Amino acid sequence: MKAAVLHEVNQPLVIEDVSVPNPGPREVLIRTRVAGLCHSDLHFMEGLYPHPLPAVLGHESAGVVEKVGSDVTYVKPGDHVVTCLSVFCGTCDQCTTGRTVLCTDTTVKMLPGQSNRLSWGRKEKLNQFLNLSSFAEQMLVHENAIVKIRKDMPLELAALIGCGVITGYGAVVNTAKVQAGETVAVIGCGGVGMAAINGAAIAGAGRIIAIDTNPVKLQLATKLGATDIVDPARGDVVQQVRELTGGGVHHSFEVLGRKETAEQSFAMLAAGGTATIVGMIPFGQKIELHGFDFLRERRIQGSSMGSNHFRVDMPRLVEFYMRGKLHLEDWISAKLKLSEINEGFAAMKAGKTVRSVIMFDA
Ligand code: APR
Ligand code: ZN
Ligand code: ZN
């Protein structure tokens, strides 16, 4: 099968012939149908986060089950599934207390540099990425890295749920637990930020402020539920948000992964407000906050993959789409072939796309 391989950071991905073995007892082989391009892939491609290379990237996907391991009862060949990198064991302390994204059991994970499920006829080991490696025609994953979905759900839209949508929506609904009527600001309106905005609308947030340097994104944000837009070109972002809200927001979401926007997210809070950092701030980078702001009970927290319980959350998101509440069609800016993947990442770098998806042949 074909897979896009990152050989070295800051180099284009190369399409290579790769093979996977038969599924182990708890593994599932999936025919990849759609894989989304997420900014997290780009963070790794640019070396802002370390990962053993060469590796097959990609972690936002949907497909059809091809084969299952001897102990797998959850799915059967032909089932439609969405993948999730938050593979869980179900029995560790984190899992049994409901925080499956923080699962500590390494036996269910494909550990970077250790997992050995991909081969490519060379001596050099090919690494799997985030338990998935979706930029490939087939994926061999743990059974607890997938969720079954209804077959009338279009797979290109389902794929988006696998990372961008669950990450943004989950940050609002699961991590921050936004209440009806509260004010929300979202900094960075790419695929993940748009999902945060749409999620805030579903949660019944009172005012939803979209902040992005790209006016096209701000227009789309309005369609997804933003009530106000803030363009950084028009002046200080924090001041604009304070003026709009008369003192700051209850919740802010940083969905970009930069020091300055993380600092803005904290500075724009009303007393008692909470900033949630969704973006991946470059490894090793520190952020600075005004200590005084904590006196008024402001909080800042991280959110990983939207603190998801994906077996529950993702089918719900499918239902939201089916009922017209989640506007997934608006996310897709381009449909690409696997061979066009580098063009897709170039467009992301230029901030032009919400989501580009790779469509694999059926
Ligand atoms: N202020 C506000 N918005 C900005 C700024 C800025 N200074 N600079 C860039 N942006 C906007 C871009 O115009 C773009 O719309 O941020 C958005 C980023 O979107 P994508 O590149 O599509 O990123 P996305 O895939 O949504 O991921 C965002 O979340 O999960 C993490 O790792 C992911 O850190 C990444 C973040
Ligand atoms: Zn992602
Ligand atoms: Zn666990």
Side-chain angles (χ1 to χ4, degrees):
M1 60 130 166
K2 302 273 181 228
V5 175
L6 179 66
H7 287 264
E8 279 177 56
V9 298
N10 290 315
Q11 294 295 317
L13 303 177
V14 182
I15 310 299
E16 307 274 5
D17 280 311
V18 172
S19 56
V20 282
N22 274 322
R26 296 198 65 193
E27 288 179 336
V28 177
L29 181 67
I30 297 161
R31 172 70 45 185
T32 316
R33 296 286 294 278
V34 187
L37 272 51
C38 174
H39 206 119
S40 305
D41 298 303
L42 188 59
H43 289 320
F44 284 94
M45 288 163 68
E46 291 178 331
L48 298 178
Y49 273 79
H51 196 277
L53 299 178
V56 177
L57 302 188
H59 64 277
E60 179 178 278
S61 47
V64 179
V65 173
E66 222 167 61
K67 264 189 208 170
V68 300
S70 53
D71 291 348
V72 175
T73 53
Y74 174 65
V75 283
K76 57 181 186 319
D79 282 347
H80 288 197
V81 293
V82 175
T83 59
C84 185
L85 67 87
S86 313
V87 57
F88 60 90
C89 74
T91 55
C92 72
D93 285 4
Q94 296 284 9
C95 283
T96 47
T97 53
R99 302 184 80 178
T100 49
V101 282
L102 303 181
C103 175
T104 52
D105 182 349
T106 51
T107 61
V108 296
K109 302 183 201 306
M110 313 236 167
L111 294 178
Q114 292 179 37
S115 156
N116 218 353
R117 308 305 283 149
L118 300 173
S119 48
W120 60 337
R122 304 185 196 191
K123 263 205 189 138
E124 206 182 357
K125 206 168 128 180
L126 183 57
N127 291 284
Q128 209 153 351
F129 178 67
L130 303 181
N131 305 308
L132 298 174
S133 287
S134 304
F135 297 151
E137 290 171 332
Q138 289 175 306
M139 294 176 281
L140 184 64
V141 304
H142 192 278
E143 63 170 325
N144 287 357
I146 53 175
V147 55
K148 265 185 292 200
I149 54 157
R150 46 194 275 192
K151 285 192 176 165
D152 55 350
M153 177 68 186
L155 284 171
E156 69 268 31
L157 303 180
L160 307 178
I161 292 176
C163 175
V165 174
I166 192 68
T167 301
Y169 167 89
V172 170
V173 172
N174 295 334
T175 316
K177 299 189 171 61
V178 169
Q179 301 289 306
E182 288 185 323
T183 37
V184 167
V186 176
I187 310 174
C189 304
V192 184
M194 291 294 181
I197 289 167
N198 203 151
I202 290 172
R207 229 160 151 187
I208 305 171
I209 304 168
I211 306 164
D212 200 291
T213 43
N214 181 342
V216 179
K217 302 280 178 80
L218 293 176
Q219 282 312 312
L220 178 56
T222 309
K223 196 173 162 197
L224 298 182
T227 57
D228 300 85
I229 53 174
V230 164
D231 183 346
R234 298 219 178 122
D236 183 67
V237 166
V238 172
Q239 209 176 324
Q240 290 192 64
V241 171
R242 289 199 167 280
E243 272 165 23
L244 271 173
T245 52
V249 292
H250 295 117
H251 289 279
S252 61
F253 295 88
E254 198 280 351
V255 201
L256 185 57
R258 292 212 190 136
K259 173 181 162 67
E260 70 267 28
T261 42
E263 291 168 356
Q264 285 169 358
S265 72
F266 189 66
M268 67 176 61
L269 294 174
T274 303
T276 302
I277 306 295
V278 182
M280 290 171 62
I281 297 167
F283 193 82
Q285 170 104 66
K286 296 191 170 138
I287 63 168
E288 293 168 78
L289 306 173
H290 279 158
F292 174 78
D293 288 341
F294 289 105
L295 289 180
R296 304 293 291 152
E297 298 200 347
R298 291 181 179 85
R299 292 187 289 191
I300 187 160
Q301 63 182 349
S303 175
S304 174
M305 290 300 291
S307 309
N308 72 72
H309 314 98
F310 72 86
R311 288 261 176 100
V312 175
D313 293 338
M314 291 191 185
R316 283 186 188 168
L317 285 162
V318 169
E319 294 308 315
F320 283 137
Y321 167 73
M322 293 292 186
R323 284 195 276 140
K325 291 182 168 233
L326 186 64
H327 306 284
L328 291 175
E329 277 100 353
D330 294 318
W331 260 258
I332 298 190
S333 316
K335 293 185 180 179
L336 309 171
K337 295 196 182 93
L338 184 61
S339 56
E340 296 167 325
I341 193 164
N342 291 309
E343 286 92 309
F345 278 110
M348 179 191 289
K349 251 180 164 169
K352 287 185 188 152
T353 51
V354 178
R355 267 301 190 257
S356 303
V357 291
I358 308 286
M359 305 292 292
F360 294 86
D361 295 332

